[in-house]
Amino acid sequence: MVEKVITLENVSLVEFLGPDNQNIRQLAAAFPGSKVVSRGNEIKIQGQPAVISRINDILSALIEHYHEYGTITDKTVSQYLSSANEEVEEARMAAAPDVILFGAKGGVIKARTANQQRLVDAVMKNDLVFALGPAGTGKTYISVALAVRALKNKEVKKIIISRPVVEAGESLGFLPGDMKEKVDPYLRPIYDALEDMLPPEKFKFYMENKTIEIAPLAYMRGRTLNHAFVLLDEAQNTTPSQLKMFLTRMGPHAKVMVNGDRSQIDLPTKQKSGLNQALDILRDVPGIGFVEMTADDVVRHRLVKEIVLAYDQFDTEQEQERADQANRPVRPAQRRGE
């Protein structure tokens, strides 16, 4: 363990260190494997050389901030800590180009199957991408990771994520709470993914200033989505008019992803899926990417893959049985007395 001492000069210790040294304690808490202690006008740092270098850089930036603005608050410390963490992540990303993102707890988020990598590549090449496939193939998770990466890299100014709210036997009007409380359960998988990828304070900040918007599909009507990464999840449950409305919201410098599982359509029986119609209409339009996931891309519990395959086999057998019945000759009705 190495030690470094920084001497504060021409600085009001009360203003710089904060009440009860809260600014320095906040800095120390961000580096639990090291020790940061203030004694008079000296700050002593103990830790590994690389960590000491990062803490020294942050303290130098805070000292410059103090000389320019005359004060340091806990929010100031948080901003410089966040900026330092983003610089470290950029360096880590450069060293590991196959990584999409480093999660909030340091975990690596990257494509785990060939089709997931095709999805990543398709988003890099196209402004509109359809990701299709069964549950558990990582469509939503990879898409959210790509959106967060685009935001961190300043390729977009905001993230907009939407899902159609399709009721499953229980009317929204009879559920308790306001509209947000009614629809949040439908959007919970999106929140879960974002919480994996962003520190709690950052996620809260992005939500409060609308840098990240999570909303039902109906809220997209009438908007033009510029400089944004826009994701429509569960698109198999859109109607044709809803999906057309969503696709025509696409503004300049936007990335749009449409995810769906054609085997899990929850629309009323006679209602056509907007996703199926869009695939028929747009399949040959240049500049649109299509990636088809399969049971081999399932990254949940091993049984999920077997469940998907079993249902696929059942659906195939049912289709074959219906086809056989349609081709079977109709027996003429017998007359009475014959």
Side-chain angles (χ1 to χ4, degrees):
M1 188 172 283
V2 180
E3 180 175 296
K4 180 179 179 65
V5 177
I6 297 175
T7 302
L8 301 175
E9 298 178 350
N10 301 320
V11 168
S12 166
L13 297 181
V14 174
E15 292 287 344
F16 187 83
L17 301 177
D20 196 24
N21 289 352
Q22 70 174 15
N23 294 338
I24 294 304
R25 288 192 288 110
Q26 183 180 354
L27 178 61
F31 298 93
S34 62
K35 190 174 181 181
V36 184
V37 180
S38 62
R39 291 284 186 270
N41 68 333
E42 291 184 343
I43 298 177
K44 183 184 294 185
I45 312 169
Q46 293 179 335
Q48 298 301 320
V51 177
I52 287 181
S53 177
R54 287 181 63 198
I55 296 174
N56 181 67
D57 290 344
I58 294 170
L59 280 170
S60 298
L62 288 171
I63 291 170
E64 288 183 16
H65 182 99
Y66 173 82
H67 286 308
E68 184 170 353
Y69 298 102
T71 186
I72 297 291
T73 68
D74 57 341
K75 289 186 178 181
T76 309
V77 178
S78 294
Q79 289 171 354
Y80 280 96
L81 283 171
S82 176
S83 177
N85 289 336
E86 288 179 1
E87 289 174 4
V88 170
E89 180 162 327
E90 287 174 5
R92 293 170 74 192
M93 293 289 289
D98 62 326
V99 174
I100 301 173
L101 197 68
F102 289 96
K105 298 180 181 178
V108 173
I109 300 171
K110 63 181 180 179
R112 294 171 59 183
T113 70
N115 281 330
Q116 286 186 358
Q117 186 58 53
R118 290 191 186 97
L119 179 58
V120 174
D121 295 340
V123 173
M124 296 301 103
K125 295 175 184 175
N126 302 281
D127 288 336
L128 173 59
V129 174
F130 286 81
L132 313 166
T137 52
K139 301 185 302 297
T140 299
Y141 202 77
I142 293 293
S143 301
V144 173
L146 290 169
V148 173
R149 182 175 73 174
L151 182 64
K152 287 191 171 186
N153 290 346
K154 296 180 173 56
E155 296 167 10
V156 297
K157 294 180 180 178
K158 66 190 313 180
I159 296 172
I160 301 170
I161 303 177
S162 185
R163 275 186 168 193
V165 175
V166 177
E167 300 169 8
E170 189 170 14
S171 174
L172 284 176
F174 293 99
L175 292 177
D178 59 21
M179 181 53 69
K180 183 179 186 301
E181 291 170 327
K182 291 175 189 289
V183 303
D184 269 2
Y186 294 89
L187 304 169
R188 189 67 248 175
I190 305 297
Y191 287 104
D192 290 342
L194 286 167
E195 287 167 1
D196 275 356
M197 298 170 194
L198 292 167
E201 307 82 18
K202 197 80 170 179
F203 181 40
K204 181 180 178 182
F205 173 74
Y206 282 152
M207 293 292 291
E208 287 176 349
N209 71 1
K210 303 295 185 182
T211 299
I212 296 179
E213 290 185 53
I214 305 173
L217 179 59
Y219 286 33
M220 298 297 106
R221 188 172 299 279
R223 300 183 61 180
T224 300
L225 307 175
N226 301 331
H227 300 280
F229 194 112
V230 190
L231 168 62
L232 174 61
D233 206 34
E234 300 289 344
Q236 76 275 4
N237 289 325
T238 61
T239 64
S241 62
Q242 284 177 326
L243 189 50
K244 180 183 177 183
M245 176 275 292
F246 173 80
L247 294 174
T248 54
R249 300 307 93 201
M250 189 175 180
H253 310 290
K255 283 274 188 185
V256 176
M257 290 191 67
V258 178
N259 295 350
D261 176 1
R262 288 171 289 178
S263 70
Q264 291 190 353
I265 297 174
D266 299 319
L267 293 168
T269 305
K270 295 182 180 180
Q271 177 66 65
K272 183 178 178 64
S273 168
L275 178 62
N276 288 337
Q277 184 189 73
L279 294 175
D280 292 337
I281 295 172
L282 304 176
R283 181 67 73 175
D284 297 323
V285 175
I288 302 178
F290 298 89
V291 178
E292 188 87 39
M293 319 288 269
T294 70
D296 291 333
D297 299 300
V298 171
V299 291
R300 292 179 183 169
H301 191 285
R302 62 175 183 81
L303 283 176
V304 175
K305 177 178 177 179
E306 300 303 323
I307 291 168
V308 170
L309 289 172
Y311 271 93
D312 285 347
Q313 182 177 348
F314 175 78
D315 290 340
T316 300
E317 291 171 355
Q318 291 290 300
E319 289 178 7
Q320 184 61 52
E321 185 176 331
R322 285 193 291 269
D324 292 343
Q325 289 177 348
N327 294 328
R328 192 175 299 157
V330 179
R331 293 177 59 187
Q334 288 187 332
R335 295 179 182 177
R336 287 185 181 182
E338 288 186 357

